[in-house]
Amino acid sequence: MGKKVKKEVEPPPKDAFDPLPIESKQAATVVLMLDSPEEDVLAKACEAIHRFAEKGDENRSSLLGLGAMEPLTRLISHEDKTVRRNAFMAVGVMASNNDVRRLMKKLNIIPSIISKLLPEEDVVVHEFATLCLASLSVDFTCKVQIFDHNGLEPLLRLLSSPDPDVKKNSVECIFNLVQDLPSRVAVRELNGLPPLLELLRSDFPIIQQLSLQTLESITKDAETRTAFRVEQGFNRLLELLTTKEFSDLHVDALRVISNCLEDTESTKLIQGTGVLEKLLQFIITPTSPEVQTNAVKAISRVAQNSENRKILHEQDVEKALIDMLVTENEGVRTAVCRAVAVMSNNLSSKDTFRNLDGIRPIVQLLNSEGNEVKEAAAQALSSLTNGNELNAYAVSEAKGEELLVRLLQDSCSGAVIHAASVLTNMASQEALRCNIITHCAMKALLEPLQSTDNHTLISATQAVAALACNADGRAELRNAGGLLPLVKLLKSNNTEIRRNACWAVSVCANDEPTATEMCKLGALEILQEINCSLNRKNKFSEAALQRLLDSNLSVKYSLTGCLSHTDIIADGFYDPGQVEKNTLLVPALEDIAKQVINQHRAIIAVNGKPQDQYVKAKGWGFSTYFTLFHSKGRQEDEKQRDEDGYKPLQVAGVVELWTLPYDAAFHCLITQAAKVVLPQNEEAETYTALATLVCDAMGGPVDIEKQHDFPWQLHLSELKFELRSNIIPIGKIKKGTYYHRALLFKALADRIGVSCSLVRGEYCRAWNEVLLSSSPKNGFYIQPQRYIIDLMHQPGNLLKCGTPAATQYQTI
């Protein structure tokens, strides 16, 4: 064997530095090492910073102050794997500090992090990179940046990572991202549902919970719910719900189910999967309040479909819901009341809730301290009483009126809306309506009528319309000052509010004082303006205007030139003449009385009641536009006051209001008409007799060829001078023309119960129209025909409308 040759070791180069182990106890020194060109130094420095940062937030703040973040941000992209890994570990831990995250945004670190989420990267890098993104994604700006740099796709891919920390961090980041709609849609488009559903089988509860919370968020999207059904999502959730060990996850699972049940397809699907039965079991079986609350919410979603309501009704869900009302938890009570509201859309369920005495405990919840409970209880009662008379009475039996009226003044708008709706439903029954009014409901509605919330205004105006059917209700609204906000709502730009306000005004106009007050507040002008607009006009606005005019016959005749047979002229009526086009200004009789005598047309007034029968009380005043005395409803009011024995009030310091002078001549004509006209047997004879009486009282027949010589104008001027007034009582006129005679005929006919209308023409013309029936021919009744009664030339002559003779009377 040959001899071994001994090798000589070459000495190191003279310029080489021997390895130097450094041990530092100062963080500042380690931060300086982050700028070292040596990979080993960098790796060890990053590792040391990671360990230091893990010890607490104070350390992380200290490192931030020492300037550690700038070099760490560079090192996460270092070529050396170890350096890169350790840098990510440090950055991931540092990102939990708020100030660090703010700096990270400025340093634009997110693109660098996302670029390291590739499959070939180290799993530790994945863990701390996703941890960093999870911390950053709580900030809206960072979420947008992650989405814009396509960070969602690699995060979804990492949900299948074998490392549980990577899964946890990734799903947490995704959960933060999907709080925004674009990310929700992107998860579906990137097929992110399967890995999320797979996480439900994880061994780690935190991963399961984060997955469920993410599913809850993304299933708010309709197309995602469709994909959820395709991926058999309900089966995965049922696995959780049927496993007792996962009881801490049941709440989140129920929330996902509740979202999915917005779709009809989902509600059909759960019937065959056992989910519906499990939901009912959660309601019946005592569990945690949060689980019960979410189970009831899911039931509410199921009940949105009419077919599902039938199924739930067959499962006796009503009893289960009522039994849950005894719980002390407000969240459960609120959910139950809302479920009752939905289930009450089923007619059978409405009756079942009443039969099980479920209405009483719901009424009692109106007295709760929590706003949500009160609102939900009112919502349930609104649904229960809608179109159900017996349920309305059940609410009343539970003393619900007082609580509901009190709720109208609640600070919660939802409670006010539903309370007003319940009262509206109950007010359809007269007995209940009277009871509601006794609790000062109209006064309580004053505040809702001035709300800025449209839904509140809609409900409030509906309640006013329902309660104003009673005279007491109208009086309370008027006395409480509720007419002003109601009239203002006529100007609303909201179609439904305006329509409801019109309807309420039309109901309130059923009595004279309320109608008069609304006219003073400008309701007539507003309604006239609405009805001139093609866009704003509606059936209710037309009805409201007509009702107001019906309660103000003087104004109606002045504006429309016509009084129908149902418009009964009462004492205080006056004819101010036809108003000018495009104006609603009708002067009040009291204002006319204050004017000096002028050359304008005389105002003809009707008043057959002796002066001592009037009430001179403070508050009977009127505006400068309209008069108090012009309604057919006044007869009933006067009759009531006479029966009550009213006497003129003597109030110190109060000036008596002007009243229309008594017209004794007109009173005599009424007595004479009753004696002469009423004994007549035939309709035609009745009209002829009355026409003759009117003609004789107004100067007798006038030859048609000599009517221009008839001195009626001079006669009226003399009367104005004699009375020193522009107002002439109709009984004083002894030489009257067409419009005087037609008005007298109508006034007398209304007093003795003879039907006729009054129509104003042009050039001082007016006439009365009547309906006359002919004798039946061959067993068939002929439709009544309209006739004009001649009061001027041939008294009592009946001129068939549309014939030349009638046209001549109207125009010549």
Side-chain angles (χ1 to χ4, degrees):
M1 295 180 61
K3 225 175 172 184
K4 289 185 179 179
V5 179
K6 188 176 178 182
K7 271 186 166 184
E8 291 187 6
V9 179
E10 294 183 8
K14 291 181 180 181
D15 60 346
F17 193 83
D18 293 337
L20 176 67
I22 297 177
E23 192 173 303
S24 176
K25 293 185 179 181
Q26 295 295 323
T29 304
V30 178
V31 170
L32 291 173
M33 293 169 62
L34 294 176
D35 291 323
S36 172
E38 297 185 52
E39 294 172 351
D40 287 343
V41 174
L42 292 175
K44 289 178 180 179
C46 289
E47 184 180 2
I49 287 175
H50 166 244
R51 288 197 304 268
F52 184 71
E54 275 190 320
K55 293 178 180 179
D57 202 55
E58 284 187 19
N59 291 357
R60 291 189 278 273
S61 297
S62 175
L63 288 169
L64 175 67
L66 293 170
M69 284 312 302
E70 287 83 351
L72 284 174
T73 302
R74 294 193 304 271
L75 293 176
I76 62 172
S77 300
H78 200 278
E79 293 180 354
D80 184 79
K81 288 185 178 182
T82 304
V83 174
R84 191 163 64 244
R85 182 192 65 194
N86 292 353
F88 260 112
M89 292 170 64
V91 168
V93 174
M94 289 286 289
S96 62
N97 181 277
N98 292 330
D99 295 327
V100 171
R101 288 198 296 271
R102 279 193 284 271
L103 180 59
M104 284 181 171
K105 282 198 295 182
K106 292 180 181 179
L107 296 173
N108 196 27
I109 195 175
I110 288 176
S112 300
I113 297 175
I114 292 174
S115 66
K116 299 302 180 289
L117 297 180
L118 298 174
E120 59 270 18
E121 193 61 71
D122 189 285
V123 69
V124 177
V125 171
H126 287 165
E127 176 186 347
F128 287 94
T130 53
L131 177 64
C132 185
L133 289 176
S135 297
L136 289 169
S137 60
V138 297
D139 179 84
F140 176 75
T141 306
C142 292
K143 281 194 285 187
V144 173
Q145 196 174 9
I146 293 170
F147 180 80
D148 289 345
H149 285 82
N150 301 315
L152 194 55
E153 184 174 4
L155 286 169
L156 288 169
R157 186 174 61 248
L158 289 175
L159 293 178
S160 303
S161 171
D163 186 273
D165 289 321
V166 175
K167 288 181 178 179
K168 182 263 179 187
N169 295 337
S170 298
V171 72
E172 183 178 358
C173 184
I174 292 170
F175 167 71
N176 291 335
L177 293 176
V178 295
Q179 302 309 307
D180 300 327
L181 181 60
S183 294
R184 292 179 203 163
V185 176
V187 168
R188 170 178 49 79
E189 292 175 345
L190 295 170
N191 198 28
L193 268 174
L196 283 169
L197 289 171
E198 189 60 35
L199 290 183
L200 297 179
R201 291 174 174 167
S202 171
D203 295 330
F204 299 92
I206 184 61
I207 294 177
Q208 291 175 301
Q209 187 175 37
L210 287 167
S211 177
L212 284 170
Q213 290 173 350
T214 305
L215 287 170
E216 179 195 354
S217 183
I218 64 175
T219 50
K220 293 175 182 176
D221 174 65
E223 292 187 34
T224 302
R225 293 195 292 270
T226 302
F228 183 83
R229 291 195 300 272
V230 173
E231 297 294 337
Q232 306 295 314
F234 281 113
N235 292 335
R236 295 292 180 89
L237 294 178
L238 190 59
E239 291 176 13
L240 294 178
L241 294 174
T242 53
T243 305
K244 192 174 182 180
E245 290 75 13
F246 295 148
S247 59
D248 56 329
L249 301 174
H250 288 171
V251 171
D252 293 313
L254 288 169
R255 286 174 179 160
V256 178
I257 290 175
S258 184
N259 281 347
C260 293
L261 292 177
E262 285 192 17
D263 298 333
T264 306
E265 293 80 2
S266 295
T267 56
K268 291 178 181 178
L269 182 63
I270 66 168
Q271 295 175 26
T273 59
V275 175
L276 181 59
E277 290 77 6
K278 191 62 184 176
L279 290 176
L280 293 171
Q281 185 180 342
F282 277 127
I283 293 176
I284 299 169
T285 307
T287 54
S288 71
E290 197 171 5
V291 171
Q292 283 188 311
T293 299
N294 285 281
V296 174
K297 287 180 179 179
I299 287 291
S300 297
R301 291 286 176 87
V302 175
Q304 298 291 337
N305 180 274
S306 59
E307 291 299 320
N308 291 341
R309 286 195 292 271
K310 292 179 182 178
I311 295 170
L312 290 170
H313 175 63
E314 293 169 358
Q315 299 285 338
D316 294 327
V317 73
E318 297 92 349
K319 185 178 185 308
L321 291 172
I322 292 171
D323 290 342
M324 292 180 71
L325 288 173
V326 299
T327 183
E328 296 297 325
N329 185 275
E330 289 199 351
V332 175
R333 286 175 169 177
T334 301
V336 169
C337 286
R338 286 177 178 156
V340 170
V342 179
M343 281 299 300
S344 294
N345 290 320
N346 179 281
L347 297 179
S348 300
S349 293
K350 281 186 181 181
D351 296 334
T352 302
F353 283 121
R354 182 185 66 254
N355 295 334
L356 293 173
D357 197 25
I359 293 179
R360 186 176 301 277
I362 296 176
V363 170
Q364 292 170 353
L365 291 179
L366 296 175
N367 216 12
S368 302
E369 293 183 2
N371 285 337
E372 285 194 12
V373 180
K374 288 188 290 187
E375 179 182 347
Q379 182 183 5
L381 293 175
S382 174
S383 186
L384 284 165
T385 56
N386 185 22
N388 194 299
E389 176 184 338
L390 294 177
N391 283 356
Y393 277 102
V395 173
S396 180
E397 290 170 4
K399 310 298 182 184
E401 293 98 337
E402 183 178 356
L403 296 175
L404 288 164
V405 170
R406 189 191 308 163
L407 206 57
L408 291 176
Q409 297 172 301
D410 196 85
S411 59
C412 175
S413 62
V416 175
I417 292 167
H418 294 305
S421 179
V422 180
L423 292 172
T424 302
N425 295 339
M426 295 176 69
S428 62
Q429 308 302 317
E430 185 175 0
L432 299 182
R433 183 167 64 245
C434 295
N435 198 19
I436 293 168
I437 292 171
T438 61
H439 288 91
C440 301
M442 283 297 198
K443 186 176 181 181
L445 281 167
L446 190 59
E447 188 175 337
L449 283 175
Q450 300 174 78
S451 171
T452 55
D453 177 64
N454 285 347
H455 296 292
T456 302
L457 292 172
I458 290 168
S459 292
T461 47
Q462 287 175 341
V464 168
L467 295 172
C469 292
N470 277 38
D472 290 342
R474 295 191 291 271
E476 184 186 339
L477 181 68
R478 186 174 66 250
N479 296 333
L483 295 179
L484 178 59
L486 180 62
V487 170
K488 284 183 177 180
L489 290 177
L490 293 173
K491 297 180 179 180
S492 174
N493 292 324
N494 183 285
T495 302
E496 192 169 358
I497 294 173
R498 189 170 61 251
R499 184 172 61 242
N500 287 350
C502 288
W503 176 238
V505 166
S506 69
V507 176
C508 289
N510 275 322
D511 64 40
E512 176 186 352
T514 309
T516 299
E517 183 67 22
M518 288 191 292
C519 289
K520 288 168 63 177
L521 296 170
L524 268 177
E525 292 97 326
I526 299 170
L527 288 168
Q528 184 81 345
E529 181 184 345
I530 291 173
N531 289 327
C532 289
S533 169
L534 294 177
N535 294 328
R536 295 162 63 85
K537 175 181 176 182
N538 57 67
K539 297 284 186 182
F540 296 100
S541 65
E542 292 175 344
L545 179 60
Q546 189 60 46
R547 285 283 181 86
L548 281 179
L549 291 177
D550 288 344
S551 296
N552 295 270
L553 295 186
S554 299
V555 176
K556 180 177 182 179
Y557 188 48
S558 183
L559 292 177
T560 67
C562 181
L563 295 180
S564 72
H565 67 281
T566 58
D567 295 323
I568 308 301
I569 292 178
D571 291 319
F573 177 90
Y574 67 104
D575 178 14
Q578 186 76 39
V579 297
E580 295 181 10
K581 194 174 182 181
N582 298 326
T583 180
L584 281 171
L585 185 62
V586 179
L589 201 56
E590 183 177 354
D591 293 332
I592 297 171
K594 295 176 183 177
Q595 298 173 359
V596 297
I597 299 175
N598 54 48
Q599 295 181 347
H600 297 308
R601 203 186 83 154
I603 307 299
I604 312 302
V606 176
N607 183 28
K609 175 169 279 192
Q611 191 74 24
D612 60 359
Q613 296 186 32
Y614 280 107
V615 178
K616 302 175 185 176
K618 185 179 179 181
W620 273 46
F622 204 82
S623 73
T624 57
Y625 290 173
F626 303 100
T627 183
L628 174 63
F629 309 101
H630 42 44
S631 169
K632 58 186 179 182
R634 173 163 175 80
Q635 290 178 322
E636 298 175 3
D637 294 339
E638 289 175 345
K639 180 180 177 182
Q640 182 64 43
R641 288 195 290 270
D642 291 343
E643 291 174 355
D644 293 343
Y646 275 78
K647 295 180 180 180
L649 297 178
Q650 301 296 327
V651 183
V654 177
V655 179
E656 286 189 354
L657 297 176
W658 178 88
T659 54
L660 183 63
Y662 167 55
D663 189 350
F666 176 65
H667 185 76
C668 291
L669 286 173
I670 296 172
T671 305
Q672 191 176 352
K675 291 179 180 178
V676 175
V677 177
L678 292 181
Q680 305 297 327
N681 295 322
E682 298 293 332
E683 280 185 295
E685 293 176 358
T686 299
Y687 292 122
T688 299
L690 184 57
T692 302
L693 176 63
V694 169
C695 181
D696 292 341
M698 287 284 181
V702 178
D703 190 289
I704 196 169
E705 299 295 335
K706 299 179 180 180
Q707 60 180 332
H708 297 294
D709 298 328
F710 186 61
W712 64 272
Q713 291 174 317
L714 176 62
H715 174 60
L716 262 67
S717 297
E718 292 173 346
L719 285 175
K720 287 172 69 174
F721 181 78
E722 176 189 337
L723 298 171
R724 297 182 179 181
S725 173
N726 294 311
I727 302 171
I728 299 178
I730 195 167
K732 291 277 189 181
I733 301 175
K734 304 304 177 186
K735 293 179 182 179
T737 188
Y738 293 92
Y739 73 92
H740 302 125
R741 300 184 183 209
L743 176 56
L744 179 60
F745 187 93
K746 171 67 172 168
L748 292 173
D750 288 346
R751 296 303 173 97
I752 63 175
V754 175
S755 177
C756 75
S757 63
L758 174 63
V759 183
R760 190 196 304 278
E762 296 179 349
Y763 307 110
C764 299
R765 295 301 174 102
W767 58 89
N768 304 99
E769 295 182 0
V770 299
L771 285 174
L772 287 178
S773 303
S774 303
S775 301
K777 292 184 180 180
N778 301 323
F780 293 97
Y781 286 92
I782 300 175
Q783 186 175 1
Q785 300 293 314
R786 284 191 305 121
Y787 292 87
I788 291 174
I789 304 173
D790 189 341
L791 303 173
M792 193 75 183
H793 310 299
Q794 298 177 5
N797 188 24
L798 296 172
L799 309 173
K800 188 174 181 180
C801 290
T803 61
T807 304
Q808 184 182 36
Y809 186 84
Q810 294 168 315
T811 57
I812 290 182

